[in-house]
Amino acid sequence: MYWSRIAWLASVASLTPSINGQFSGWVENQVNSTMCYWHNFRVTTLKDTVYLDGGHLGWVRGMADGTLSPPYDDNNPYGLIPFLNFSTPFNASTNISTMLQTISKAPNGGAANNIALNYMGGALLGNNDEFFLYGGTVVKTSKSVTPDSNEVLGWMETQYGPDAAAFRQGFVNAQLPDDMTQYITFGAAANAPSENKAWYFGGYRSETWGPLYEFYPDHAYDPSNISNTLITLDMGTQQQETWSNMTLPPGIPSRANPSMVWVPVGEQGILVVLGGVTYPEYDNSNRVSQNVAQSRKDSPGFMENIDIYDIAGDAWYQQPTIGSPPQYAMGCAVMAPAQDYSSFNIYFYGGYDGLDQTASFNDDVWILSLPSFMWMKVSSGVSEHGRAGHQCVMPYPDQMLSIGGRVAAGNGPAPSCLEGDPPGILQVYNLTAGRWMDSYDPESWNEYGVPEMIHMMIGGDYSGSATMTTPTPSGWATSGLASVFNTPYATTKLQTYYPYSSMGPGNGTRGELNGGGGGGTPSWLAPVLGVVLGLVFVTAVVVGVLLYRRRRLLKKETPSEGSTDENGNRILSWVRNQQNDGKAPTVTTEDTNTQYGEMESRGITPMRSPGQPEMKMVPPSEMPDTPLVELMGKVELGDTRINNTGLARIHSPFASVPQTPRSISTPTSQSFFGNSVSQDHASSNNSSNGLPQLSSTHRPDSPPLGNAHDHMNIAAIANPNATPTSNHDSGHLRQTSDTTVNSAVASQNIASESTPSSHHRPVFAQAPVSPPLPVSPPSVANVDGKSADYVSHRSGQSGEGGANMGNPLRRSVFHENENDLGERGEDQR
């Protein structure tokens, strides 16, 4: 699968720009190159960038004729240090070489020769601002000349501490003390930027403590002797860094290729060393272990018993564990603390037994949880994906980035590429979920959560709260180690530089990669930015159109609160400005007031129900002894001035809005299968039914406004023999309803109407009691020796009203002054 993909890339190379990722060794007719493997290199992280130096880096050349070369290792003759910014996204199909930028250890980017050799193994010891290249072996060539054993190279990225005018970004040469040598390899490194310190544990050296050559025929240069040392680099003061060398105490054995992590426990943190082997097969040019039996006896104990160094106390401890994995070397490890620092989980991935390079390599992920010191395998891998000689870093609290590695040796002479299409040089592992991810997105991350199988074992939950705070079942090996774990670390010293903004991989040129550096605005930025901005603009236009249309629809559906026509306003204004000092003539009847009049007396303004369908009132037939009162034609009201205190807004029948229900009493009107039904809160039938009247203040000559009980259903009100209403008259009555507005039910929907016949008697549903309102209808006192309301008074008068007494639609003229309003009228004034 992988080789077919490389062949396809070669076949289309003439149509697309070539992928210039290979550092050197380009040959004629070569059109592309792809990373195949990368192992035994060293790595460090400065803020948001990971730097990778040395190691064996294999490339596969794609030729113009479609053929592929075997993996090729050029040994990095230009002394380049690739680096990768964590803001660069990638997925399984990304050509990793296009993502990397480089700096050169050689002057002016030329050939490194003996100035900047390519080292296998060793470490990059640093903090967040600088790093130093320490240890490792080199490949012996006729041109290579090894530097002195006490010389190391350092990279100054950024300045920290007191301002120094002489600071310049770049490489510097540093000197080691007389009792130290840089020729150590196969050790373990750990950096603690919060302490400005770094360490290199154990490893192997030559018999002479001199130069180390990889697989060299002269065994005097083999790294076959144990180095029982702990190297410390103190970077407290920039450009005044100090190195120190400590001999490991008895009981803390050195070994080849263990893993070491710094854990924020105690005053300055602790170093935890795990894994590694003795007598590895790669410490000599024959590639055969010098003592397999002893290695199998010693090495499993490096996982079972963990070596711990307390930095502040300068003391070593050893703590037993349970459930440990088998012996592994050349794996990688990272540490993820719980959010409350109640547990510290060390993830160990990959590696092999260090004795047989043809056996399957490890692809499992293990967790050593502290302080319980319990092992747990959280992911079971497959042998095809296993690797060794890789490195791991953490771009985010919940993610581990595995870089490079190699697979088990095959039967052929050429090394095999890593599994994947293209080979999986970069792999991302979700530490919380315990699974491998298909891609890395710098904008997708989260805080670390303790995996479920771990917090079920040690107690607590995803955020921490571990209840198992001592090693179980063994307990603490020493009280001194218990005291270290009971001393919290000042986490305020820890610095983070995430999240990172996604910038995408750059399309570097061959010259940039070979010359070291690169940079500038990537070529992909302009087209991508244009597409993104275009999509944003189109989306904004579409959203704007949709919002505009929605606003227009809402305007059509929602009635305006002050929408009346000019004629309605004129009537209202005219009625309010009439003056008359006399009593108001009224039309007298024995029936109850109309709904409209009752609403005026209660000071209630007819409500609109926004968004409800338009309601058409049925032209009512006049009921027996219940004359309908309306204003017809032009009415002379004389000089009467009506006090508008508490007066309802008067609407013209011609002022309705299509969206406004055509009823003054919209909220309580109902319809029952074709019979229009209204509820009357002030019916005179209350007295006939014997219902107790509600105690309230009202004029003695006015009908009561309500009672203490719900109104009863009225079985019959209409007279089937009543004269039907003409079309002209019914048009005037479309704004008239027998329903008052009850504040408790004002939000009810209006039922649809249907036309009742004169032979149907409407049935009224029971309605809740309306509360007493402040103003009662005025009445005319001492008319023919008794109190009478407007309707009764008007029916007994002659004149314009008397001429129309035979017409069931009698005219009504309202005259009112302030004296008619009683005590409540005085209060409202």
XYZ file of all heavy atoms in Angstrom, residues 433-485:
400
model
N -8.859 9.767 26.789
C -9.683 8.707 26.206
C -8.929 7.393 26.081
O -9.539 6.329 25.947
C -10.204 9.144 24.835
N -7.582 7.441 26.082
C -6.791 6.231 25.947
C -6.883 5.621 24.571
O -7.004 4.394 24.434
N -6.818 6.450 23.519
C -6.883 5.917 22.145
C -6.084 6.815 21.212
O -5.843 7.986 21.489
C -8.337 5.835 21.676
C -9.060 7.166 21.630
C -10.497 7.008 21.152
N -11.203 8.279 21.137
C -11.162 9.151 20.134
N -10.427 8.892 19.058
N -11.842 10.290 20.182
N -5.672 6.199 20.085
C -4.937 6.929 19.065
C -5.895 7.735 18.210
O -7.023 7.316 17.955
C -4.132 5.968 18.193
C -3.033 5.282 18.939
C -3.060 4.023 19.467
C -1.756 5.838 19.267
N -1.875 3.751 20.108
C -1.051 4.848 19.997
C -1.149 7.062 19.025
C 0.236 5.054 20.473
C 0.138 7.266 19.496
C 0.821 6.278 20.212
N -5.429 8.887 17.753
C -6.255 9.787 16.966
C -5.761 9.801 15.523
O -4.582 9.543 15.234
C -6.197 11.198 17.564
C -6.633 11.249 19.020
S -6.218 12.811 19.830
C -7.202 13.967 18.891
N -6.680 10.124 14.595
C -6.345 10.133 13.170
C -5.634 11.408 12.743
O -5.011 11.440 11.684
C -7.613 9.960 12.319
C -8.251 8.599 12.534
O -7.496 7.646 12.827
O -9.482 8.490 12.422
N -5.748 12.461 13.540
C -5.177 13.738 13.124
C -4.890 14.587 14.360
O -5.343 14.281 15.465
C -6.129 14.484 12.179
O -7.351 14.767 12.835
N -4.157 15.658 14.101
C -3.859 16.632 15.155
C -4.402 17.987 14.731
O -4.090 18.473 13.646
C -2.351 16.730 15.393
C -1.938 17.904 16.259
C -2.183 17.910 17.622
C -1.316 19.023 15.698
C -1.808 18.989 18.423
C -0.934 20.101 16.482
C -1.182 20.084 17.843
O -0.825 21.152 18.618
N -5.223 18.564 15.584
C -5.794 19.883 15.335
C -5.436 20.774 16.521
O -5.885 20.528 17.644
C -7.318 19.795 15.180
C -7.959 21.141 14.893
O -7.234 22.152 14.820
O -9.195 21.188 14.739
N -4.615 21.795 16.313
C -4.199 22.639 17.439
C -5.337 23.395 18.099
O -5.159 23.931 19.198
C -3.184 23.603 16.806
C -3.507 23.607 15.356
C -4.017 22.239 15.045
N -6.504 23.436 17.461
C -7.642 24.125 18.051
C -8.589 23.165 18.761
O -9.642 23.574 19.228
C -8.384 24.923 16.975
C -7.536 26.040 16.368
C -8.292 26.838 15.332
O -9.431 26.426 14.996
O -7.752 27.841 14.844
N -8.207 21.881 18.806
C -9.052 20.882 19.454
C -8.261 20.250 20.596
O -7.322 19.484 20.370
C -9.489 19.810 18.447
O -10.245 18.807 19.088
N -8.637 20.582 21.827
C -7.929 20.057 22.996
C -8.815 20.215 24.219
O -9.877 20.825 24.162
C -6.605 20.801 23.202
C -6.781 22.241 23.578
C -7.052 23.272 22.731
C -6.752 22.800 24.899
N -7.176 24.441 23.437
C -6.995 24.191 24.761
C -6.521 22.281 26.163
C -7.016 25.044 25.867
C -6.544 23.135 27.261
C -6.788 24.500 27.098
N -8.350 19.689 25.339
C -9.094 19.809 26.582
C -8.128 19.623 27.747
O -6.978 19.232 27.560
C -10.209 18.765 26.656
C -11.386 19.238 27.475
O -11.243 20.036 28.399
N -12.568 18.743 27.155
N -8.604 19.910 28.947
C -7.805 19.623 30.128
C -7.696 18.107 30.303
O -8.565 17.347 29.875
C -8.424 20.257 31.375
C -8.446 21.779 31.362
C -7.062 22.397 31.366
O -6.106 21.707 31.812
O -6.921 23.551 30.935
N -6.641 17.693 30.935
C -6.427 16.260 31.123
C -7.441 15.697 32.111
O -7.728 16.298 33.140
C -5.010 16.004 31.623
C -4.763 14.574 32.035
C -4.708 13.558 31.082
C -4.597 14.223 33.376
C -4.478 12.247 31.451
C -4.364 12.920 33.758
C -4.303 11.925 32.793
O -4.096 10.624 33.162
N -7.971 14.537 31.759
C -8.862 13.812 32.650
C -8.290 12.437 32.956
O -7.831 11.722 32.055
N -8.296 12.059 34.209
C -7.783 10.741 34.603
C -8.652 9.671 33.939
O -9.882 9.692 34.083
C -7.811 10.583 36.132
C -7.281 9.214 36.542
C -6.996 11.690 36.792
N -8.071 8.752 33.163
C -8.880 7.726 32.485
C -9.744 6.943 33.471
O -9.385 6.764 34.644
C -7.826 6.833 31.817
C -6.634 7.714 31.646
C -6.644 8.632 32.828
N -10.856 6.486 32.970
C -11.827 5.817 33.847
C -11.230 4.613 34.547
O -11.432 4.405 35.751
C -13.057 5.415 33.036
C -14.154 4.775 33.865
C -15.386 4.449 33.045
O -15.322 4.614 31.808
O -16.390 4.032 33.631
N -10.480 3.787 33.821
C -9.944 2.583 34.446
C -8.909 2.917 35.523
O -8.680 2.112 36.428
C -9.332 1.660 33.389
C -8.139 2.233 32.660
S -7.419 1.002 31.520
C -8.801 0.695 30.441
N -8.329 4.126 35.442
C -7.375 4.531 36.466
C -8.102 5.073 37.695
O -7.806 4.674 38.833
C -6.393 5.575 35.904
C -5.587 4.969 34.747
C -5.469 6.078 37.000
C -4.761 3.775 35.137
N -9.064 5.991 37.487
C -9.724 6.538 38.684
C -10.667 5.529 39.335
O -11.019 5.685 40.510
C -10.409 7.870 38.388
C -11.612 7.820 37.500
N -12.798 7.235 37.840
C -11.804 8.321 36.253
C -13.676 7.375 36.863
N -13.100 8.019 35.885
N -11.052 4.481 38.608
C -11.781 3.397 39.268
C -10.845 2.585 40.164
O -11.273 1.984 41.153
C -12.440 2.484 38.234
C -13.618 3.122 37.503
S -14.402 1.987 36.342
C -15.022 0.744 37.458
N -9.557 2.594 39.821
C -8.575 1.846 40.596
C -8.069 2.644 41.799
O -7.891 2.095 42.892
C -7.411 1.462 39.681
C -6.283 0.703 40.343
S -5.009 0.212 39.152
C -4.395 1.824 38.635
N -7.864 3.943 41.606
C -7.272 4.758 42.674
C -8.292 5.660 43.355
O -7.937 6.407 44.266
C -6.116 5.612 42.119
C -6.646 6.649 41.120
C -5.054 4.742 41.487
C -5.584 7.628 40.625
N -9.551 5.630 42.900
C -10.587 6.478 43.474
C -10.627 7.840 42.795
O -9.755 8.211 42.017
N -11.679 8.591 43.080
C -11.846 9.917 42.487
C -12.590 9.867 41.179
O -13.381 8.953 40.910
N -12.322 10.849 40.334
C -13.003 10.944 39.059
C -12.037 11.490 38.024
O -10.820 11.485 38.216
C -14.257 11.826 39.172
C -13.945 13.171 39.827
O -12.785 13.641 39.744
O -14.855 13.767 40.432
N -12.596 11.986 36.892
C -11.752 12.458 35.799
C -10.873 13.641 36.225
O -9.735 13.763 35.764
C -12.608 12.855 34.597
C -13.182 11.689 33.846
C -14.481 11.255 34.075
C -12.420 11.000 32.912
C -15.006 10.170 33.406
C -12.931 9.910 32.221
C -14.230 9.502 32.473
O -14.734 8.426 31.808
N -11.388 14.506 37.056
C -10.629 15.696 37.446
C -9.647 15.425 38.574
O -8.816 16.276 38.882
C -11.582 16.821 37.865
O -12.355 16.426 38.977
N -9.715 14.265 39.183
C -8.780 13.935 40.260
C -9.489 13.357 41.469
O -10.258 12.404 41.358
N -9.215 13.953 42.649
C -9.806 13.514 43.929
C -9.460 12.065 44.235
O -10.288 11.293 44.745
C -11.330 13.704 43.914
O -11.669 15.041 43.648
N -8.227 11.646 43.907
C -7.803 10.278 44.180
C -7.839 10.012 45.678
O -7.416 10.845 46.494
C -6.401 10.046 43.635
N -8.344 8.841 46.047
C -8.434 8.452 47.457
C -7.297 7.527 47.865
O -7.000 7.405 49.054
C -9.775 7.759 47.729
O -9.903 6.629 46.859
C -10.929 8.723 47.467
N -6.657 6.889 46.889
C -5.526 6.006 47.186
C -4.251 6.837 47.078
O -3.705 7.039 45.988
C -5.501 4.827 46.216
C -4.490 3.750 46.588
S -4.558 2.354 45.445
C -6.208 1.725 45.795
N -3.784 7.357 48.167
C -2.653 8.291 48.184
C -1.381 7.675 48.738
O -0.403 8.383 48.992
C -3.016 9.533 49.009
O -3.394 9.125 50.329
C -4.160 10.295 48.360
N -1.376 6.370 48.938
C -0.174 5.656 49.370
C -0.028 4.405 48.518
O -1.017 3.890 47.983
C -0.245 5.262 50.858
O -1.392 4.426 51.064
C -0.345 6.490 51.750
N 1.213 3.898 48.341
C 1.396 2.660 47.575
C 0.602 1.514 48.193
O 0.589 1.327 49.411
C 2.902 2.409 47.657
C 3.503 3.742 47.942
C 2.495 4.463 48.787
N -0.089 0.775 47.344
C -0.943 -0.314 47.811
C -0.571 -1.585 47.051
O -0.442 -1.566 45.830
C -2.419 0.030 47.564
O -2.715 1.261 48.226
C -3.337 -1.037 48.108
N -0.362 -2.702 47.754
C -0.544 -2.903 49.206
C 0.744 -2.763 50.012
O 0.739 -2.942 51.222
C -1.046 -4.336 49.261
C -0.334 -5.013 48.133
C -0.201 -3.980 47.036
N 1.845 -2.431 49.335
C 3.141 -2.480 50.015
C 3.344 -1.343 51.004
O 4.096 -1.478 51.977
C 4.271 -2.464 48.979
O 4.240 -1.249 48.237
N 2.715 -0.190 50.766
C 2.981 0.979 51.588
C 4.278 1.646 51.167
O 4.974 1.204 50.245
N 4.635 2.730 51.823
C 5.852 3.462 51.480
C 7.083 2.647 51.870
O 7.145 2.064 52.956
C 5.891 4.811 52.175
C 4.838 5.769 51.688
C 3.730 6.177 52.374
C 4.814 6.428 50.423
N 3.003 7.056 51.608
C 3.651 7.231 50.397
C 5.642 6.410 49.309
C 3.303 8.012 49.299
C 5.309 7.183 48.210
C 4.142 7.977 48.201
N 8.052 2.674 50.942
C 9.304 1.948 51.225
C 10.061 2.611 52.361
O 10.667 1.928 53.197
C 10.179 1.878 49.972
N 10.044 3.936 52.401
C 10.699 4.682 53.481
C 9.805 5.854 53.867
O 9.024 6.359 53.052
C 12.074 5.217 53.048
O 11.906 6.180 52.014
C 12.974 4.083 52.557
N 9.973 6.301 55.103
C 9.215 7.465 55.553
C 9.690 8.729 54.868
O 8.923 9.689 54.709
C 9.345 7.618 57.072
O 10.722 7.770 57.433
N 10.956 8.730 54.422
C 11.475 9.895 53.718
C 10.750 10.125 52.405
O 10.416 11.265 52.051
N 10.484 9.053 51.670
C 9.752 9.183 50.406
C 8.315 9.620 50.663
O 7.753 10.425 49.907
C 9.788 7.860 49.649
C 9.140 7.865 48.265
C 9.794 8.903 47.363
C 9.211 6.475 47.626
N 7.688 9.109 51.735
C 6.335 9.542 52.085
C 6.314 11.032 52.379
O 5.379 11.743 51.988
C 5.828 8.752 53.285
N 7.359 11.508 53.046
C 7.428 12.939 53.356
C 7.555 13.770 52.087
O 6.968 14.854 51.990
C 8.605 13.202 54.295
O 8.747 14.588 54.546
N 8.307 13.273 51.114
C 8.446 13.999 49.838
C 7.095 14.121 49.153
O 6.718 15.197 48.670
C 9.475 13.290 48.936
C 9.464 13.921 47.541
C 10.865 13.360 49.533
N 6.330 13.042 49.103
C 5.026 13.074 48.419
C 4.001 13.884 49.200
O 3.025 14.364 48.619
C 4.512 11.652 48.192
C 4.971 11.051 46.899
C 6.190 10.403 46.814
C 4.205 11.154 45.752
C 6.624 9.850 45.633
C 4.627 10.613 44.556
C 5.854 9.958 44.486
